[in-house]
Amino acid sequence: MAKSGWQRKDLLGIAELERTEIEAVLATAASFHEVATRPIKKVPTLRGKTVLNLFFEPSTRTRSSFEIAEKRMSADAINFSTAGSSLSKGESLLDTTRNLQAMSPDVLVIRHAHPRVPHQLAARLDTSVVNAGDGAHEHPTQALLDAFTILQHREQLDGLRVAILGDIEHSRVVRSNVLLLRKMGASVVIGGPYTMMPRSAEALGVDVAYSIDEALEGADVVMMLRVQTERQSRMSIPSADEYFALFGLDRARLRRANEGALVLHPGPINRGVEIASDVADGRASLILEQVSSGVAVRMAVLYLLAGGAS
Amino acid sequence: MSSVSSVIRASGALLVRGGRVVDPSQGIDDEVDVLIGDDGRVERLSGSIQVGEGVEVLDAAGLVVCPGLLDLHVHLREPGQEYKETIESGSRAAAAGGFTTVACMANTVPVNDCRSVTEHIVRAAQRCGLARVLPVGAISKGLRGEELAEMGDLVSAGVVAFSDDGRPVEHAELMRRALLYARHFGLPVVQHAQDMTVTGDGAMHEGPSSTRLGVPGVPRLAEDLMVARDLLLAEETGGRYHVQHLSSGRSVELIREAKARGVAVTCEVTPHHLLLTDRDVEESGLDPNFKMNPPLRESADRDALLAGLLDGTIDFIASDHAPHHVDEKLLDFVASPFGIVGLETTVSLLLDRLVHAGKIELGEMIRLLTSAPAKAFGLELGSLRPGAPGDVTLLDLEREVTVDPARFQSKSRNTPFAGWRLRGAPVVTVLAGRPIRVEPRPER
Ligand SMILES: [Zn+2]
């Protein structure tokens, strides 16, 4: 497979990517998508390569998805789960970098609670770095897998109207998706309660709505974000029930979107909080497809960064 | 007036000869000589003073001679965090940066909330004798914001103001009582004005840049709320209220209105808030050396701060010199501590970016670092009037420097200005008639 259109050492964010690079990842993912349908779901592409999954913040889903992608590529996948971030306990980025360098991995997959930690490590390492989520900043493979999923059902992203709804302020998913969708020619509206919207939401370069109904008007794609209902979010929303009543996506609300609108959610979903079961399990929902797309997209990213040295 | 002259021992007489004396306290901008007597105080200023042998002569030809500069907001970290800075290294940094006087904040370990800590600071500063180090005492015991520190005892040990800096006094009633009680001593109550409930876990200004970066934001409102509350308390109590490191344009307006109403309020601004914005944080790629509290805000705030400085709403400039060890700034942006050093960059930054850039007159810049801070804190400093302490700073307006943290006399290197090329620099300071020659460290 030719690695056309990709020169980078790292995948840190959508911000750095050109449209052609996004297209290169999506095209590569399409060829790996087929692997999942085979009886033996494994290719030798990354045999002998080591991938370190370095998760400073717990994330079962994203980590498992990367791990499956790595194993299907025949890479040696090693997990480092250091929840409770050693970086904030006196180990500096420099120490971490040196330790990782000493293990000479081929790819580092990094999840961290603070923005730009993967970027800072990447700048100091020869190893390829994949950002698997840095605080509320970016989550590029999520945006790529969302785009890939939509493109299984639509010809192109150009001209689509995408509504992204929920806790905008604390979401890394929304930032990467906004960047990707705009680069690919879609128009985006973000919506949610006033208390979950960043004060300078317009800085994201999209339309902003404070009513779910308004945001859904004319949408071709609806992306729901996971809402945290823990105690610390109670300053933003009084209860899960009230959130569902005012901002949740149910079948009646979905009718405001365009006929045949697609529904996505990065998971795990909170049924009856941000999304009703009849929508999550309904015909419009691509939530499970997103999971399989995620593996294909991550295989593509690993391949572009570390595979096919020819 | 607080007496500060006892801090430094005088040596012999000194003649500062041939310079351009700029002393805003007397409206002087003229080529005159300055004679400092052997009591360490200014004897007289006049053209071509002749002196006999035994009087040291400091040649100031081609240089600006001004009253010794004051930086009334520094953190010297001693006692307790000597790995970041000591009174000695901080005094060296002050002298290298052109400052003869610094006021050091109380958030040491232990806190400067009692006589023994104040006395330690005074003695350590006297031992090194490179700058006047004026201790600021805590407002509340342990900076806990619960009960007043023993202000009277602190005053008798030598503090010149009260501040819980590092932490705001959040409790309104405690702040009210602090403003009232401090009236007995005529000293200002100095506030790091920030509502912490609005601040949350914010790490940079809440605005377009923080939104794009997904970094938790500190809204302007955090400062505005506290300034507004405190102005009402100051008005009510008649106490002297000083706001540290203003960052928000709205707070400048609040203070302008309060001054017009006659409230006894003063305030300061840092060079970094006058020169940088949150865009610089974003463009740095979240370099921890751009992280300080209050955070760098937007260009409208920066412009409002400069306007406030020019119209007299903002009383003086101070650096908020906040040393942190290199290891602490090796963490990522969110994890690293707030604060940057400023003693060794302030003068060159102001000369290059404000004076040479035509935004502010040289005399005005000098006033903002001499008589203005002295007046705000009620200190008999910042002037070359006969009888005043013989503290002088010599400036070379044309010397080109490049900010090189490796050459700082401070123990810390945390500055966002590394690599900046600046025109104008301090040359030497004179403390009570004694020349203090502390140069930047030699290049490696
Ligand atoms: Zn402060």
Side-chain angles (χ1 to χ4, degrees):
Chain A
M1 214 182 304
K3 292 202 286 179
S4 58
W6 190 270
Q7 308 286 334
R8 292 176 188 276
K9 173 174 89 74
D10 311 299
L11 175 64
L12 298 173
I14 303 297
E16 293 82 10
L17 300 185
E18 302 290 335
R19 184 177 173 138
T20 52
E21 293 172 301
I22 294 167
E23 285 164 349
V25 177
L26 297 176
T28 311
S31 51
F32 283 113
H33 201 42
E34 174 268 329
V35 174
T37 63
R38 297 181 193 168
I40 293 176
K41 301 174 179 55
K42 201 155 176 154
V43 292
T45 323
L46 294 186
R47 184 171 292 150
K49 306 266 181 174
T50 307
V51 182
L52 279 185
N53 299 316
L54 188 63
F55 279 66
F56 292 104
E57 193 184 63
S59 157
T60 316
R61 295 204 155 214
T62 303
R63 209 202 61 211
S64 311
S65 177
F66 269 105
E67 216 179 317
I68 291 167
E70 289 149 12
K71 292 191 164 150
R72 285 192 182 161
M73 306 283 283
S74 306
D76 296 316
I78 299 165
N79 291 325
F80 274 68
S81 292
T82 52
S85 170
S86 64
L87 289 195
S88 54
K89 286 191 196 136
E91 185 184 356
S92 70
L93 275 177
L94 189 63
D95 298 325
T96 307
T97 311
R98 285 179 177 155
N99 272 292
L100 298 172
Q101 193 91 67
M103 291 182 249
S104 38
D106 297 287
V107 182
L108 261 173
V109 177
I110 301 174
R111 157 72 59 99
H112 197 282
H114 296 162
R116 288 190 68 90
V117 168
H119 305 63
Q120 282 163 317
L121 289 173
R124 292 167 172 170
L125 288 168
D126 302 326
T127 306
S128 288
V129 172
V130 179
N131 179 3
D134 59 327
H137 183 214
E138 282 233 41
H139 192 2
T141 57
Q142 179 71 45
L144 288 161
L145 78 86
D146 289 343
F148 184 85
T149 308
I150 296 167
L151 288 170
Q152 302 298 301
H153 300 266
R154 294 287 184 274
E155 284 293 300
Q156 54 179 23
L157 297 170
D158 221 321
L160 291 182
R161 175 72 165 174
V162 181
I164 309 179
L165 308 175
D167 185 354
I168 304 295
E169 184 172 16
H170 297 107
S171 173
R172 48 181 151 237
V173 175
V174 74
R175 283 171 181 77
S176 287
N177 258 307
V178 162
L179 289 165
L180 185 146
L181 290 165
R182 289 184 61 213
K183 285 181 184 190
M184 300 304 284
S187 85
V188 181
V189 56
I190 55 177
Y194 280 104
T195 46
M196 290 180 155
M197 198 65 85
R199 195 160 314 194
S200 310
E202 70 288 346
L204 297 174
V206 295
D207 299 325
V208 183
Y210 294 95
S211 129
I212 295 295
D213 289 349
E214 189 192 323
L216 285 168
E217 213 71 60
D220 300 301
V221 178
V222 183
M223 291 185 177
M224 298 306 294
L225 300 173
R226 181 178 161 80
V227 169
Q228 309 289 324
T229 51
E230 289 89 57
R231 194 178 52 81
Q232 59 267 37
S233 349
R234 292 291 158 80
M235 285 249 209
S236 297
I237 49 164
S239 71
D241 288 349
E242 180 156 322
Y243 186 87
F244 185 62
L246 296 177
F247 305 103
L249 185 67
D250 58 19
R251 203 179 276 177
R253 280 212 172 102
L254 186 56
R255 279 193 209 106
R256 295 193 169 257
N258 283 346
E259 183 75 34
L262 308 171
V263 174
L264 285 81
H265 188 300
I269 60 173
N270 293 308
R271 288 169 185 269
V273 182
E274 68 264 1
I275 192 164
S277 282
D278 58 0
V279 174
D281 303 331
R283 268 189 313 129
S285 169
L286 305 182
I287 296 171
L288 293 175
E289 283 185 36
Q290 283 173 279
V291 179
S292 55
S293 304
V295 176
V297 161
R298 286 168 181 132
M299 288 170 81
V301 168
L302 293 166
Y303 169 75
L304 291 172
L305 295 179
S310 55
Chain B
M1 288 276 168
S2 308
S3 173
V4 291
S5 55
S6 62
V7 177
I8 300 298
R9 188 174 39 82
S11 54
L14 179 80
L15 180 67
V16 183
R17 177 187 279 165
R20 169 187 169 195
V21 173
V22 180
D23 180 3
S25 76
Q26 306 180 75
I28 294 176
D29 184 345
D30 204 359
E31 305 239 332
V32 288
D33 296 345
V34 181
L35 180 63
I36 299 166
D38 50 18
D39 62 350
R41 290 181 173 267
V42 177
E43 202 167 293
R44 66 193 161 99
L45 273 60
S46 66
S48 307
I49 299 176
Q50 300 300 317
V51 289
E53 286 196 16
V55 174
E56 189 178 348
V57 176
L58 187 61
D59 180 15
L63 303 178
V64 164
V65 176
C66 62
L69 307 180
L70 287 79
D71 186 344
L72 297 187
H73 189 159
V74 305
H75 298 267
L76 298 186
R77 307 301 189 199
E78 182 181 339
Q81 294 175 308
E82 288 84 354
Y83 67 98
K84 298 183 194 227
E85 196 79 288
T86 61
I87 288 165
E88 213 254 321
S89 65
S91 297
R92 295 184 72 80
F99 291 93
T100 54
T101 296
V102 296
C104 61
M105 293 301 141
N107 61 339
T108 47
V109 186
V111 168
N112 184 17
D113 62 358
C114 60
R115 163 181 289 277
S116 61
V117 176
T118 307
E119 285 174 345
H120 167 82
I121 294 167
V122 169
R123 271 198 308 269
Q126 270 171 337
R127 261 200 306 278
C128 61
L130 297 170
R132 296 179 200 272
V133 176
L134 311 180
V136 172
I139 294 170
S140 71
K141 290 196 181 91
L143 308 185
R144 282 188 298 274
E146 290 163 2
E147 41 185 339
L148 291 179
E150 288 181 309
M151 288 186 174
D153 207 29
L154 287 166
V155 170
S156 64
V159 306
V160 298
F162 301 103
S163 179
D164 275 5
D165 182 43
R167 289 193 197 173
V169 177
E170 296 193 71
H171 197 294
E173 180 59 12
L174 183 76
M175 188 62 177
R176 191 176 78 88
R177 304 240 169 202
L179 284 159
L180 284 170
Y181 194 67
R183 288 186 63 179
H184 290 291
F185 318 105
L187 297 192
V189 174
V190 175
Q191 172 80 303
H192 172 126
Q194 185 171 17
D195 183 309
M196 297 311 288
T197 65
V198 173
T199 301
D201 57 358
M204 70 178 287
H205 170 66
E206 183 190 79
S209 291
S210 73
T211 298
R212 282 188 288 266
L213 290 162
V215 173
V218 181
R220 272 186 200 91
L221 191 62
E223 181 168 302
D224 301 338
L225 282 172
M226 195 58 104
V227 167
R229 182 202 80 174
D230 285 351
L231 288 171
L232 293 174
L233 293 173
E235 190 167 19
E236 156 79 20
T237 57
R240 280 174 63 192
Y241 174 57
H242 177 78
V243 193
Q244 299 182 293
H245 44 49
L246 272 187
S247 69
S248 153
R250 185 76 185 86
S251 287
V252 177
E253 279 175 42
L254 290 167
I255 291 169
R256 187 177 289 124
E257 290 159 14
K259 284 191 165 183
R261 289 203 305 276
V263 180
V265 55
T266 54
C267 59
E268 75 196 28
V269 65
T270 69
H272 47 276
H273 288 107
L274 288 169
L275 298 174
L276 300 173
T277 67
D278 62 342
R279 287 304 297 264
D280 295 299
V281 182
E282 188 174 8
E283 278 160 24
S284 77
L286 289 182
D287 178 348
N289 289 321
F290 285 77
K291 182 180 179 184
M292 71 291 287
N293 196 17
L296 300 171
R297 300 201 184 273
E298 294 172 45
S299 53
D301 298 281
R302 185 195 54 193
D303 296 348
L305 292 169
L306 184 62
L309 199 62
L310 293 172
D311 75 9
T313 303
I314 298 179
D315 293 84
F316 63 88
I317 296 172
S319 74
D320 191 10
H321 178 81
H324 290 295
H325 194 269
V326 175
D327 289 352
E328 295 166 296
K329 288 283 183 179
L330 281 177
L331 298 167
D332 69 85
F333 186 86
V334 171
S336 77
F338 292 102
I340 61 168
V341 291
L343 278 170
E344 291 169 84
T345 49
T346 293
V347 169
S348 292
L349 286 169
L350 298 179
L351 283 173
D352 186 88
R353 297 301 160 113
L354 296 185
V355 176
H356 290 314
K359 293 183 177 167
I360 203 166
E361 300 283 329
L362 174 68
E364 182 62 3
M365 176 204 133
I366 290 173
R367 190 185 69 80
L368 291 164
L369 294 173
T370 56
S371 55
K375 183 175 172 218
F377 274 34
L379 306 168
E380 58 146 6
L381 291 166
S383 172
L384 296 176
R385 237 180 246 108
D391 296 359
V392 183
T393 297
L394 271 58
L395 306 172
D396 182 341
L397 301 187
E398 301 305 325
R399 184 190 286 186
E400 306 252 0
V401 293
T402 300
V403 178
D404 180 0
R407 301 190 62 196
F408 285 166
Q409 290 290 352
S410 167
K411 280 192 165 188
S412 293
R413 306 277 173 266
N414 47 315
T415 176
F417 299 111
W420 283 39
R421 297 175 62 84
L422 303 169
R423 183 157 63 97
V427 179
V428 65
T429 62
V430 173
L431 198 59
R434 193 161 45 87
I436 307 288
R437 291 188 175 83
V438 182
E439 300 267 314
R441 288 173 200 275
E443 274 174 278
R444 286 164 304 177

